[in-house]
Amino acid sequence: MTARTEPVPAPSGFGLLVVAGLLWGTGGVSGAALAESSGMSAPAVATYRLALGGGLLVLVLLARRRWLPRDRHALRRIAVTGVLVALFQATYFGGVALASVSIATLVTIGSAPMIVVLVQSLRRRRMPTATQVRPLALGVVGLGLLVGGPAAPGTDPGEALLGILLALCAGASFAFLSMVAARPHRGTDAPMVTGYGFLFGGLLLAACTVPFAPLTFEPTARNLALVAFFAIFPTALAWTLYFGGLAHAGPAVATVVALLEPLTATVLAVLLLGEAVTVTLVSGGTLLLLSVVDARPRPVRGIRVARAQPGDRFSR
């Protein structure tokens, strides 16, 4: 009898993360269209995104008799999710307002996987591996080529610096949200955390937004359709898939795959809004795709499988 080592496929939520990243990319175009059509501010649009996206999931949960859990650990996880997602949205749009969309996106999405890798390395008391660093480096360079750009003309340097700091806070919020969501569930699951957590986060964000920006808009068919699309696809569905994939792929892989969001948004901007295709855009998009492919989970090696040979004798 001989034995040989065979790769064993690792449990992976990679496909769920990819679909989530692609769905998130549709949020940029639909959110911008909603803001333009309704006249609402970016924080108001984000408030509707969280509150309605979470609210729709809660209605589905209630229809299936899945009430808000009473377990202390489950409630804490839902509350932490709501606070982090509200903080993520608030600080990101604050960074956009003070710096620019490109700088806020670059800092927020680029810093999140770095923060995850740094925290994990500190916890394990070991340096990051080449497998962790390589897709991260490819992704950050590609993101810089795709969305990187100077601040808007006339931007105050102090405001731009504050915007960058807010974008870093947004990146940290997304990183810690991903690490919390990757933990095993106790009395909850991905739809429950997304639904109740996002509804709570939306209410928090509404309380912070109302004093500064109105939440009212004209309920035309176009506006209602955009609100429904924004709440369902890039929010309720995308985040549920993301939280589901995190349990298997882990936050380091998930935050790299999240780089698909700006790539998808750029492709949609080219196809739907007529944005020019440049060598820089193509180069950045290529590097982002390479980083996502490189971040995919590998098969686990080291399982030895016995193979019977002619003449082998077996006993019961």
Side-chain angles (χ1 to χ4, degrees):
M1 181 181 295
T2 61
R4 66 185 183 89
T5 302
E6 289 187 351
V8 176
S12 171
F14 187 73
L16 298 179
L17 298 175
V18 169
V19 176
L22 295 175
L23 287 173
W24 278 338
T26 67
V29 175
S30 58
L34 176 59
E36 180 181 358
S37 176
S38 66
M40 288 191 295
S41 65
V45 171
T47 298
Y48 276 104
R49 175 181 191 173
L50 294 185
L52 292 182
L56 288 172
L57 274 177
V58 167
L59 290 177
V60 173
L61 291 169
L62 293 179
R64 300 176 61 186
R65 298 180 180 273
R66 302 192 62 193
W67 320 115
L68 181 67
R70 297 182 179 181
D71 180 75
R72 179 168 55 90
H73 296 285
L75 288 174
R76 181 188 304 163
R77 180 167 186 156
I78 289 171
V80 169
T81 298
V83 170
L84 286 175
V85 76
L87 184 62
F88 169 50
Q89 293 288 315
T91 51
Y92 172 72
F93 285 115
V96 168
L98 292 175
S100 68
V101 175
S102 59
I103 290 177
T105 302
L106 175 61
V107 174
T108 299
I109 301 182
S111 65
M114 294 183 184
I115 293 170
V116 170
V117 170
L118 176 61
V119 171
Q120 289 184 336
S121 298
L122 290 175
R123 283 178 175 176
R124 298 168 183 172
R125 297 181 181 180
R126 66 179 67 173
M127 294 295 292
T129 64
T131 304
Q132 291 176 311
V133 173
R134 189 175 55 244
L136 181 58
L138 285 171
V140 171
V141 173
L143 183 64
L145 292 173
L146 194 69
V147 304
T155 301
D156 180 79
E159 289 187 354
L161 178 59
L162 181 56
I164 291 173
L165 292 176
L166 285 174
L168 277 174
C169 289
S173 301
F174 181 57
F176 284 106
L177 177 62
S178 299
M179 287 186 280
V180 168
R183 295 175 180 174
H185 286 274
R186 292 180 58 182
T188 61
D189 56 17
M192 185 175 289
V193 170
T194 308
Y196 289 110
F198 275 47
L199 179 58
F200 177 56
L203 295 176
L204 289 177
L205 196 56
C208 298
T209 301
V210 167
F212 306 100
L215 296 178
T216 56
F217 66 93
E218 186 178 356
T220 64
R222 174 180 171 81
N223 288 341
L224 293 176
L226 286 171
V227 166
F229 181 91
F230 200 41
I232 294 171
F233 294 101
T235 307
L237 181 57
W239 279 96
T240 300
L241 293 174
Y242 181 74
F243 286 159
L246 266 171
H248 298 292
V253 172
T255 48
V256 172
V257 178
L259 294 171
L260 282 172
E261 176 185 359
L263 176 59
T264 306
T266 301
V267 172
L268 291 176
V270 170
L271 295 177
L272 302 179
L273 305 179
E275 184 172 319
V277 179
T278 65
V279 175
T280 303
L281 281 180
V282 174
S283 301
T286 301
L287 288 176
L288 281 180
L289 284 176
L290 289 175
S291 73
V292 171
V293 172
D294 195 28
R296 72 193 188 282
R298 269 69 170 182
V300 179
R301 300 182 62 185
I303 305 299
R304 299 187 66 83
V305 180
R307 296 289 185 183
Q309 298 295 324
D312 285 346
R313 303 180 69 179
F314 297 91
S315 59
R316 293 183 182 271

